[in-house]
């Protein structure tokens, strides 16, 4: 939730330390990163939702009892409920409905959307009750703009619309990759250009709604051109599934290791928080020798207050929030970064899906299939992006127990996004040098699932047929051609910067002109291969409850 290190040539647009940055799409930026001979074939977008209220009300000294920052969202909720005839609440005892009369205390819309989905996270990220009451300087009262816990605020809506508008400016206006208006599918159904996913949390669904409003403005409410896929929580792939029995002990092990390795940093932030009267009581509640996470619950409230520019003690400034975000990242991201098997269990199934989109895009591009999805958008969470950064090797080689924690590892900001671009360059020559792993015959000639995770050079869902392509004769060849993917490259953006994947830094594993941040497709496959389990492997490794 705090900013990632920003390159010196970045032109930041973030308002403060808890919000993501986006690059300025200047002509020089487009010419540098998207030369005319390089085309975009497919894009996977994984984003965190926009600014929200805290998951609970636990630090009344800095957090108001009533967050009156959701007027626009609540109006939309009321209009939706009125449109479907559900603005009349039901009596829980009788099941009968009676029209609620407006009053100063019970507006007719209040929490109808959220009454069964408050998403109180106190049991997951902290101790104690969510009902902390009013603080000494809290004069807030309930209004028609009052938010629920964890609700996307009006500021969050603005941020997500801005992210969608940024993607429109890039992929529609500058590159012509997406059509200017969404196209209806040939069968009359929703557009095939976009694959859309959101989790069951209201804030991610609404973040996606706002993002689509920026990408394709002026679409009618409830446009039949968009189909959003939502999975039941038990089958979700974009955040850790705690039905995975192996996950909790691994988290506990690596969190304890992080606590030990970074004792100095964590002890310093703990001592600093104790010196801030507004935080002291909650810090003492959260901190325990048996608990390996005490900064994340504090960060949840501090980041929300800071992002919305609400008054806070002078000691809780931008620099303090950044240090708190770094400590929170150590408590959570450190685990996935240190253990490849844990990263697989946390986010491997989502990486499997992203690889599947890329494979389908290559196959569709070769077949000149214009009905294939061009972009997949996953509206998700900070607990999605943190492990994904580890999989992409942000800061070093993930899974190396001897390596130090990446410098600058921080919690993903509100509205953060990762974009995995599949590029094609049929003009530029393939790198003349080949990385050693490119000609590993075993990993290609046999079923990838028969190769140990640590030795895989392609994900388990990359078919061998992808390598049986000959552009010389225009037909598929019988044997594997290690150069078959020579025209395709992958670049990973995280907010306003590109990530340099460890396997793509070697000579021969990246674009000769665009540099190490533009991987050969083989280089990208090599990076993520050990993090992509099959369904059978995922179930066996997780020991699914």
């Amino acid at each position: 939730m705090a900013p990632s290190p920003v390159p010196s040539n970045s032109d930041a647009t973030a308002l403060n330390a808890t919000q993501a940055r986006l690059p300025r799409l200047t002509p020089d930026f487009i010419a540098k990163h998207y030369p005319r001979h390089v085309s975009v074939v497919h894009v996977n977008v994984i984003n965190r939702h926009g600014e929200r209220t805290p998951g609970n009300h636990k630090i009344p000294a800095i957090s108001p009892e009533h967050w009156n920052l959701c007027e626009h969202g609540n109006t939309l909720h009321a209009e939706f409920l009125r449109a479907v005839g559900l603005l009349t609440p039901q009596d829980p005892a009788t099941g009968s409905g009676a029209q609620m009369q407006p009053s100063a205390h019970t507006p007719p819309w209040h929490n109808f959307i959220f009454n069964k989905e408050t998403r109180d996270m106190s049991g997951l990220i902290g101790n104690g009750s969510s009902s902390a009451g009013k603080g000494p300087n809290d004069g807030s009262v309930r209004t028609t703009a009052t938010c629920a816990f964890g609700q996307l605020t009006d500021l969050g809506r603005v941020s997500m619309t801005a992210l969608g508008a940024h993607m429109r400016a890039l992929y529609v206006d500058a590159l012509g990759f997406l059509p200017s208006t969404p196209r209806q599918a040939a069968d009359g159904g929703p557009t095939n250009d976009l694959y859309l996913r959101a989790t069951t949390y209201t804030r991610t669904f609404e973040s996606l709604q706002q993002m689509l409003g920026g990408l394709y403005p002026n679409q009618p409410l409830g446009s039949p051109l968009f189909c959003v896929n939502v999975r039941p929580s038990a089958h979700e792939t974009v955040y850790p599934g705690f039905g995975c029995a192996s996950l909790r002990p691994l988290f506990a092990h690596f969190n304890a290791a992080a606590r030990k390795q970074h004792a100095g940093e964590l002890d310093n932030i703990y001592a600093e928080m104790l010196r801030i009267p507004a935080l002291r009581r909650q810090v003492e509640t959260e901190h325990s020798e048996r608990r390996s996470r005490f900064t994340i619950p504090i960060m949840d409230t501090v980041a929300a207050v800071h992002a919305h520019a609400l008054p806070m003690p002078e000691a809780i400034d931008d620099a303090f929030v950044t240090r708190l975000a770094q400590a929170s990242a150590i408590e959570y991201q450190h685990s996935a970064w240190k253990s490849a098997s844990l990263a697989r269990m946390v986010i491997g199934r989502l990486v499997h899906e992203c690889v599947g989109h890329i494979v389908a895009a290559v196959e569709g591009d070769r077949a000149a299939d214009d009905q294939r999805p061009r972009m997949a958008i996953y509206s998700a969470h900070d607990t999605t992006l943190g492990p994904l950064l580890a999989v992409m090797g942000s800061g070093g080689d993930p899974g190396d127990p001897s390596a130090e924690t990446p410098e600058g590892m921080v919690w993903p900001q509100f509205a953060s996004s990762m974009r995995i671009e599949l590029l094609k360059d049929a003009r530029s020559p393939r790198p003349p040098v080949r990385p050693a792993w490119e000609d590993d015959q075993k990993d290609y000639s046999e079923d990838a699932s028969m190769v140990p995770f640590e030795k895989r050079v392609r994900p388990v869902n990359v078919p061998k047929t992808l390598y049986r392509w000959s552009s010389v004769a225009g037909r598929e060849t019988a044997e594997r051609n290690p150069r078959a993917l020579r025209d395709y490259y992958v670049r990973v953006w995280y907010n306003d910067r590109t990530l340099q994947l460890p396997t793509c830094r070697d000579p021969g594993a990246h674009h000769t002109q665009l540099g190490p941040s533009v991987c050969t497709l083989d280089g990208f496959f090599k990076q993520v291969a050990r993090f992509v389990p099959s369904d059978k492997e995922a179930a066996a490794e997780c020991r699914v409850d």
Side-chain angles (χ1 to χ4, degrees):
M1 287 181 279
S4 303
V6 182
S8 59
N9 62 350
S10 167
D11 194 354
T13 60
L15 298 177
N16 60 45
T18 57
Q19 294 162 307
R21 304 173 188 272
L22 294 170
R24 300 286 186 185
L25 300 179
T26 63
D28 288 343
F29 177 91
I30 299 298
K32 176 182 177 181
H33 295 286
Y34 301 92
R36 293 183 180 275
H37 55 90
V38 175
S39 59
V40 180
V41 180
H42 182 82
V43 184
N44 285 312
V45 181
I46 307 98
N47 63 270
R48 187 191 178 192
H49 53 75
E51 289 85 346
R52 60 162 172 81
T53 57
N56 43 53
H57 180 51
K58 295 172 64 174
I59 314 182
I62 65 170
S63 174
E65 182 181 16
H66 301 291
W67 286 65
N68 298 320
L69 301 173
C70 297
E71 183 170 7
H72 183 61
N74 289 338
T75 299
L76 289 178
H77 295 167
E79 292 301 318
F80 170 76
L81 293 169
R82 183 175 291 111
V84 297
L86 294 178
L87 193 59
T88 301
Q90 285 192 332
D91 183 272
T94 65
S96 62
Q99 181 66 45
M100 178 183 286
Q101 298 301 316
S103 73
H105 302 290
T106 54
W109 47 259
H110 187 74
N111 275 3
F112 285 4
I113 292 281
F114 288 88
N115 62 345
K116 293 184 180 179
E117 198 198 334
T118 303
R119 301 290 186 173
D120 183 340
M121 296 186 290
S122 61
L124 293 176
I125 62 172
N127 299 324
S129 168
S130 288
S131 301
K134 291 180 179 293
N137 301 313
D138 182 9
S140 65
V141 295
R142 188 176 175 186
T143 73
T144 55
T146 300
C147 310
F149 293 135
Q151 183 176 349
L152 187 73
T153 63
D154 291 345
L155 175 61
R157 292 176 177 276
V158 171
S159 295
M160 296 310 299
T161 302
L163 178 57
H166 175 85
M167 293 203 304
R168 179 177 180 84
L170 176 60
Y171 294 115
V172 177
D173 300 336
L175 302 179
F177 168 61
L178 291 175
S180 58
T181 57
R183 303 178 300 174
Q184 194 164 37
D187 61 3
T191 180
N192 286 328
D193 290 324
L194 303 176
Y195 171 79
L196 306 173
R197 273 273 292 281
T199 69
T200 57
Y201 286 75
T202 307
R203 59 179 174 268
T204 62
F205 196 96
E206 293 184 331
S207 289
L208 178 58
Q209 178 189 37
Q210 296 297 136
M211 193 172 168
L212 288 172
L215 180 61
Y216 285 119
N218 303 319
Q219 290 297 305
L221 187 65
S223 172
L225 292 176
F226 299 131
C227 175
V228 180
N229 298 272
V230 181
R231 292 189 176 188
S233 297
H235 299 281
E236 187 54 83
T237 61
V238 304
Y239 50 67
F242 286 100
C244 177
S246 303
L247 197 56
R248 287 186 182 273
L250 268 180
F251 260 133
H253 170 76
F254 283 102
N255 285 352
R259 181 81 172 266
K260 183 177 180 181
Q261 179 180 345
H262 299 278
E265 298 154 72
L266 296 175
D267 288 346
N268 286 340
I269 195 73
Y270 174 63
E272 189 168 351
M273 286 192 289
L274 287 179
R275 290 193 293 268
I276 301 174
L279 300 181
R280 183 183 302 123
R281 180 178 177 182
Q282 190 62 31
V283 173
E284 291 174 339
T285 300
E286 298 293 345
H287 187 269
S288 165
E289 292 300 323
R290 296 184 301 275
R291 289 172 57 84
S292 55
R293 298 180 185 177
F294 68 90
T295 62
I296 293 176
I298 310 299
M299 183 68 188
D300 182 71
T301 296
V302 168
V305 174
H306 190 62
H308 292 90
L310 299 179
M312 281 203 294
E314 185 176 346
I316 307 179
D317 57 11
D318 196 75
F320 174 83
V321 175
T322 299
R323 293 197 302 279
L324 186 59
Q326 290 170 337
S328 297
I330 288 172
E331 290 183 348
Y332 178 68
Q333 284 178 240
H334 177 281
S335 302
W337 191 82
K338 281 292 186 180
S339 168
S341 61
L342 190 144
R344 271 196 304 275
M345 285 183 257
V346 169
I347 209 68
R349 292 177 299 163
L350 175 59
V351 184
H352 186 287
E353 290 183 38
C354 291
V355 168
H357 289 308
I358 290 174
V359 169
V362 171
E363 294 173 337
D365 183 63
R366 288 171 171 175
D369 178 9
D370 193 44
Q371 291 299 308
R372 60 183 169 79
R374 300 187 178 200
M375 178 178 287
I377 302 177
Y378 290 80
S379 185
H381 304 267
D382 43 13
T383 51
T384 308
L385 287 174
L388 273 179
L389 287 170
V391 167
M392 300 301 169
S394 179
D397 185 21
D400 180 0
S402 64
E404 293 296 321
T405 299
E407 183 179 356
M409 180 183 353
V410 292
W411 198 269
Q413 311 99 305
F414 292 118
S416 285
S417 61
M418 178 179 288
R419 291 182 284 118
I420 305 173
E421 296 177 331
L422 175 65
L423 308 173
K424 184 178 182 180
D425 185 354
R427 192 193 79 174
S428 295
R430 176 80 175 194
V433 181
R434 299 190 299 191
W437 42 262
E438 187 178 79
D439 289 317
D440 189 332
Q441 296 291 329
K442 181 178 180 181
D443 286 13
Y444 288 101
S445 60
E446 297 181 6
D447 180 355
S449 65
M450 301 300 292
V451 181
F453 279 112
E454 298 306 313
K455 294 184 178 181
R456 294 181 186 178
V457 298
R458 67 181 172 97
V460 69
N461 60 329
V462 175
K464 291 185 292 184
T465 54
L466 209 66
Y467 292 88
R468 293 174 181 169
W469 173 265
S470 172
S471 59
V472 176
R475 64 180 184 277
E476 185 177 306
T477 58
E479 67 282 346
R480 169 188 168 261
N481 177 5
R483 315 293 280 175
L485 302 178
R486 66 185 181 278
D487 297 341
Y488 297 99
Y489 296 85
V490 171
R491 174 169 54 203
V492 181
W493 289 92
Y494 181 60
N495 295 330
D496 64 342
R497 63 189 176 102
T498 56
L499 302 182
Q500 293 191 9
L501 280 59
T503 58
C504 303
R505 296 169 185 164
D506 297 343
H510 56 259
H511 197 283
T512 53
Q513 296 174 352
L514 297 179
S517 64
V518 180
C519 301
T520 62
L521 184 52
D522 261 351
F524 174 77
F525 283 162
K526 169 66 173 174
Q527 176 66 35
V528 302
R530 57 183 154 153
F531 302 103
V532 180
S534 66
D535 289 342
K536 183 177 180 180
E537 289 170 334
E541 191 169 35
C542 278
R543 294 187 293 115
V544 178
D545 290 340

